[in-house]
Amino acid sequence: MRAEPFALLMTVYGGDREDHLRAAYASAVHEQSLRPDQVILVQDGPVPEELERGLADLVDGSPVEVTFARLEDNRGLGPALDAGLQASRHDIVARMDADDIAMPHRFEVQVPLVG
């Protein structure tokens, strides 16, 4: 039986590293035994060009739908998360930082517990 649909919310700001973001995204989307139904990426203010290109690549190459939200000014983690929650189409929202690495069965284990 398929688990309840869920979204993954990640925020990115100017201090994040592009290589860490790519590794985090791969671990949370490409390498999961249960993929999110929606990924919400929130860019919290301006970011370096390399990071902006990395975000565009992730959106373009994602195997699941990505909702991208850009905040013009860096407003901080709380407001960025609020913007991401507003963009979610699902009641369950998994949260991950742009430098975290998820175990391959993370969502397969966690989502049924909260669904």
Side-chain angles (χ1 to χ4, degrees):
M1 183 167 98
R2 171 78 168 117
E4 183 109 16
F6 71 101
L8 169 66
L9 171 56
M10 295 178 75
T11 61
V12 180
Y13 80 109
D16 285 320
R17 288 182 36 179
E18 188 265 347
D19 59 331
H20 290 177
L21 172 63
R22 285 184 187 272
Y25 194 89
S27 77
V29 177
H30 295 278
E31 299 165 6
Q32 283 296 308
S33 57
L34 176 64
R35 287 183 174 161
D37 298 279
Q38 175 190 19
V39 175
I40 306 156
L41 286 174
V42 180
Q43 179 182 318
D44 187 15
V47 297
E49 189 175 314
E50 179 182 22
L51 188 53
E52 195 160 335
R53 281 193 308 268
L55 285 164
D57 289 348
L58 293 178
V59 171
D60 290 342
S62 181
V64 300
E65 175 194 350
V66 177
T67 302
F68 183 74
R70 179 177 292 132
L71 304 178
E72 292 300 318
D73 300 311
N74 180 277
R75 296 173 42 204
L77 183 59
L81 290 174
D82 285 343
L85 288 173
Q86 293 299 316
S88 178
R89 293 189 338 272
H90 304 289
D91 291 334
I92 298 173
V93 179
R95 168 76 180 96
M96 193 162 152
D97 287 328
D99 60 355
D100 288 346
I101 299 296
M103 298 298 291
H105 300 294
R106 174 189 172 186
F107 301 134
E108 184 179 353
V109 171
Q110 290 179 333
V111 171
L113 297 174
V114 296

